[in-house]
Amino acid sequence: DAGVIQSPRHEVTEMGQEVTLRCKLISGHNSLFWYRQTMMRGLELLIYFNNNVPIDDSGMPEDRFSAKMPNASFSTLKIQPSEPRDSAVYFCASSRDRVQGYTFGSGTRLTVV
Amino acid sequence: KQEVTQIPAALSVPEGENLVLNCSFTDSAIYNLQWFRQDPGKGLTSLLLIQSSQREQTSGRLNASLDKSSGRSTLYIAASQPGDSATYLCAVTDNNAGNMLTFGGGTRLMVKP
C-alpha cells in the first residue's frame, strides 16, 4: 500500500489566491482527518470525516476554509482567499474504524506570500 | 473535552542513556493511544499503538505502557542513539462514535553523541 498520499508537497502562492490541497486515503479506510501544524500552535485539528460525512469542523478557522470528500478515497481542503497567516504544514490522516490507529500523509507545506 | 499533555516539552540526553517520555490525558474513556515520531520538516510516523485493553507494546528499543485508569502513558527508549533525535507525540482516540484523535504538544528529544 502506498500509504496516505498528499499533494502537492509544497505550495507557494500569493495572498488572495485559491489553494486546494489533496489527500488520497489508504484503501479501505473510512475516517479522515485534516490537521494544520505551525511552530506556534503545534498540531491543530481542522476537520474530520467518518464514512464521508463531516463529523466535527469546529477547528476550521473561518469560512475561507472548506473541506470535501467527493468519494470514499479522496478529500480536498480548499482555502479561498488565502492569507499569509494560513502558511503552515497541512497533514491528512486516515484510519479504518480507528482499530489500527492512524496513518499520516507526508504533508503539504503551504506558504502564502 | 479530552486534553493531552506531554512532559517534558524538551529533553537532551547523552547517547546510551535510557529515557522516559510522559503523556497524560484527562478523559480515561479512550479507545487506543498512539505514539508518533516526527523528524524536522517531515510527517508523522507511527511508532506504537496500544489498545485500551492492553498495558504495553514493544518494538525494538521502544516500550510504551498504558495506565488507562490514571490517564497516563509512558514511552521508554532504551540505549538512546543520536538517530532517536526527533519530536515524539502521543495521541488518544476517544471511545465514542466520532473517532476523535487528540494530540499532546510533543516532546522534542535531542540525543548527543
Side-chain angles (χ1 to χ4, degrees):
Chain A
D1 198 321
V4 176
I5 299 172
Q6 291 188 244
S7 62
R9 291 295 306 274
H10 302 274
E11 176 82 22
V12 180
T13 190
E14 291 185 348
M15 182 174 64
Q17 296 297 306
E18 177 180 294
V19 176
T20 299
L21 310 181
R22 296 175 175 80
C23 176
K24 184 176 184 300
L25 285 68
I26 291 174
S27 177
H29 282 197
N30 61 347
S31 293
L32 171 82
F33 290 73
W34 279 102
Y35 284 89
R36 177 172 69 177
Q37 186 177 41
T38 61
M39 288 291 291
M40 292 294 292
R41 296 188 297 270
L43 271 167
E44 300 175 281
L45 176 64
L46 300 176
I47 184 171
Y48 74 100
F49 295 81
N50 204 31
N51 295 317
N52 297 10
V53 177
I55 302 300
D56 186 342
D57 65 354
S58 59
M60 296 287 262
E62 46 201 272
D63 292 345
R64 298 184 297 106
F65 285 68
S66 62
K68 293 181 180 179
M69 280 198 76
N71 58 57
S73 62
F74 185 73
S75 177
T76 59
L77 177 68
K78 185 176 293 186
I79 308 172
Q80 165 66 17
S82 58
E83 297 182 3
R85 60 193 168 118
D86 301 331
S87 297
V89 180
Y90 291 80
F91 289 103
C92 71
S94 72
S95 172
R96 183 175 66 84
D97 292 327
R98 69 194 168 177
V99 172
Q100 296 300 323
Y102 290 84
T103 302
F104 276 73
S106 299
T108 294
R109 181 174 297 277
L110 173 65
T111 304
V112 183
V113 297
Chain B
K1 179 185 174 185
Q2 178 77 266
E3 292 183 4
V4 181
T5 304
Q6 290 186 246
I7 294 174
L11 182 63
S12 180
V13 300
E15 181 178 5
E17 269 201 13
N18 302 325
L19 56 99
V20 174
L21 308 182
N22 296 293
C23 172
S24 61
F25 45 95
T26 55
D27 186 347
S28 62
I30 65 169
Y31 187 84
N32 56 37
L33 183 145
Q34 201 166 356
W35 281 94
F36 293 88
R37 168 185 173 140
Q38 186 176 30
D39 292 285
K42 304 292 184 183
L44 280 72
T45 300
S46 180
L47 297 174
L48 290 165
L49 172 70
I50 311 178
Q51 303 296 342
S52 62
S53 59
Q54 297 174 323
R55 297 300 298 266
E56 65 177 351
Q57 283 287 329
T58 298
S59 175
R61 293 182 295 108
L62 305 179
N63 175 277
S65 67
L66 174 65
D67 184 343
K68 198 175 74 165
S69 61
S70 66
R72 289 187 297 185
S73 175
T74 60
L75 179 66
Y76 175 82
I77 303 177
S80 58
Q81 303 171 357
D84 296 330
S85 298
T87 297
Y88 292 81
L89 298 128
C90 74
V92 299
T93 302
D94 285 344
N95 194 18
N96 56 42
N99 299 343
M100 183 67 181
L101 182 67
T102 306
F103 276 89
T107 294
R108 190 169 63 255
L109 173 65
M110 170 74 72
V111 181
K112 298 180 179 179

